[in-house]
Amino acid sequence: MPTIQFAAVLDGRSSARHRRGGVVAAAAGRLHRPLMWMAVVMVVLVVVSLVAMFVDDRMLLGESVWLKPMKFGIAFALYGLTLAWLLSLPHRGSRVTWWLGTVFAVTGFVDVGFIALQAARGTFSHFNSETDAVNEIGQQVFQSGVPGLFFANLIIVLILSWQRLVDRPTARAIHAGLFLAVVGMMLGYLMGFTGKQLVRDADGNVVELVAGHTVIDPANRDLSPRDAAAGMPITHWSTIGGDLRVPHFVGLHGIQFLLLVVVILAWLAPRYPWLRAERTRAAVIGVLALGYTGFLAIVFTQAMRAQSLIHPDGTTLISFAGLIAGVAALLGLIYWRARVESNDPTADAEIVPLRPAPATLHAVADLKADNEFQA
């Protein structure tokens, strides 16, 4: 999708808007249907879980049995909608990514469905070692489904990461965001190495969990229910040790954060001349992506050092301060360069040629075939 800078001539701007409108409309008509249906089901699950939290007073680890289905429903709805939009953009390998998106949608539906089923039964979905038939089948689903989600997403990232699907700021946000999502998914696997614990289900029965999300010093680790300790409000992230759900969450939702920044920058560009150049906005996104990656690294190392997010030590605080200073310095450099260029009367206005991006050129010929294939 070509981007025409605000310094372009009026005719070029109008033509670009017309062309962008056509591409956006076409993309909206090609949204990945299985992913969209998955997102709809997840939204329904969120509503049902919210209602159930008020009428069902059963608890697991100090929180409503329906809180986990609600959180997973929100996460999968957001990511499913984002992925459906990404796969609607013309790109090489669209047939392969369509099937991979379908694998993601089906697997996500089955996995989150099991989480909701276990909530209705008043027991645990993750790391549950009980031998009843429903749980044993569900654990087999997890062991096959979670890798399916990860590898489907990974291959989509590999296919899309080398293609320019849209304008530079958005493309940079997509590439960085997909990378962050893959890392976030990978970090979730580390929860399986935090050690066993004995907890109680909603009926008071003792259940052995083979792992959990709370990280504590191995010297102090025993079978006590560390995941049941008091946590932060709303998220319930641990306050007695590290919590691997923090980097898992941060990584998965980086793409939504970066795309939101793209929208904000585009909205600010007409008001602030230094943001009008596409390459300037792309540079800002690049710096923020680096900063977000640094933030992910800090909260991950904090969790692995058995440190709660809200109880940072000196090392963590220094790391955060250094990260903020580095990002601020780079953004200041971008601002200075953009101001110099915008005030330079000899500098040529940055105008992207009125032609589709290379990825679009290669994909247009396949659009009819893809639509027939996906119908």
Side-chain angles (χ1 to χ4, degrees):
M1 187 192 304
T3 300
I4 306 304
Q5 299 306 321
F6 293 97
V9 294
L10 181 61
D11 289 343
R13 253 185 338 204
S14 301
S15 176
R17 283 196 297 267
H18 179 75
R19 185 178 284 100
R20 276 199 299 270
V23 174
V24 170
R30 300 179 67 246
L31 287 174
H32 193 281
R33 291 183 182 178
L35 283 169
M36 292 299 295
W37 279 112
M38 183 200 76
V40 169
V41 172
M42 295 303 164
V43 171
V44 172
L45 174 62
V46 170
V47 175
V48 171
S49 298
L50 280 171
V51 174
M53 289 172 68
F54 287 98
V55 299
D56 187 347
D57 60 359
R58 292 178 300 164
M59 307 286 282
L60 284 175
L61 300 179
E63 61 188 33
S64 170
V65 296
W66 295 103
L67 183 62
K68 177 176 282 189
M70 186 189 73
K71 291 193 292 187
F72 271 82
I74 293 173
F76 272 79
L78 287 174
Y79 197 79
L81 289 171
T82 304
L83 196 58
W85 171 71
L86 289 177
L87 298 185
S88 73
L89 301 173
H91 59 276
R92 299 186 187 95
S94 57
R95 293 191 177 189
V96 175
T97 58
W98 189 90
W99 279 112
L100 291 170
T102 302
V103 170
F104 189 98
V106 173
T107 308
F109 175 81
V110 173
D111 282 2
V112 179
F114 176 69
I115 293 172
L117 174 63
Q118 291 292 78
R121 297 177 68 228
T123 191
F124 302 89
S125 53
H126 289 71
F127 313 121
N128 192 336
S129 63
E130 292 299 292
T131 57
D132 64 277
V134 174
N135 182 66
E136 287 189 327
I137 294 173
Q139 298 307 318
Q140 291 296 321
V141 169
F142 269 156
Q143 291 176 16
S144 58
V146 173
L149 286 170
F150 173 74
F151 285 109
N153 192 76
L154 176 61
I155 298 173
I156 289 173
V157 171
L158 294 176
I159 292 174
L160 298 183
S161 62
W162 303 106
Q163 304 184 49
R164 179 171 169 180
L165 309 177
V166 282
D167 60 289
R168 275 185 286 182
T170 311
R172 191 158 293 179
I174 290 172
H175 295 159
L178 288 174
F179 166 77
L180 289 166
V182 168
V183 173
M185 291 182 184
M186 290 175 60
L187 296 181
Y189 281 102
L190 297 179
M191 296 181 192
F193 301 94
T194 56
K196 295 181 180 180
Q197 56 183 319
L198 295 178
V199 296
R200 293 186 181 274
D201 64 16
D203 296 323
N205 302 313
V206 176
V207 176
E208 181 188 73
L209 302 183
V210 298
H213 50 74
T214 304
V215 180
I216 61 175
D217 189 334
N220 300 323
R221 188 180 299 167
D222 54 24
L223 294 179
S224 60
R226 58 188 180 276
D227 285 354
M232 296 170 57
I234 302 176
T235 63
H236 289 253
W237 292 337
S238 178
T239 58
I240 66 166
D243 198 319
L244 286 169
R245 291 178 298 181
V246 178
H248 183 59
F249 174 89
V250 171
L252 284 178
H253 297 293
I255 188 168
Q256 283 94 22
F257 167 76
L258 293 174
L259 288 174
L260 178 60
V261 174
V262 169
V263 173
I264 293 173
L265 292 178
W267 179 73
L268 292 174
R271 297 164 176 80
Y272 299 94
W274 73 276
L275 281 174
R276 290 177 181 174
E278 183 184 275
R279 65 181 179 182
T280 298
R281 300 197 304 279
V284 170
I285 293 298
V287 169
L288 292 180
L290 287 174
Y292 196 96
T293 304
F295 175 65
L296 173 60
I298 292 173
V299 295
F300 168 64
T301 55
Q302 186 182 18
M304 292 301 292
R305 291 192 296 121
Q307 184 181 116
S308 171
L309 179 68
I310 60 174
H311 297 137
D313 61 9
T315 300
T316 301
L317 292 175
I318 291 173
S319 299
F320 274 123
L323 177 66
I324 293 171
V327 170
L330 290 174
L331 290 177
L333 182 62
I334 293 171
Y335 172 76
W336 175 80
R337 187 188 68 180
R339 286 295 299 269
V340 169
E341 292 179 350
S342 64
N343 293 329
D344 185 358
T346 64
D348 294 331
E350 181 188 359
I351 303 175
V352 178
L354 291 174
R355 58 182 177 82
T360 306
L361 285 172
H362 286 280
V364 166
D366 295 331
L367 290 180
K368 290 184 179 179
D370 286 344
N371 285 331
E372 294 174 358
F373 176 75
Q374 298 174 22

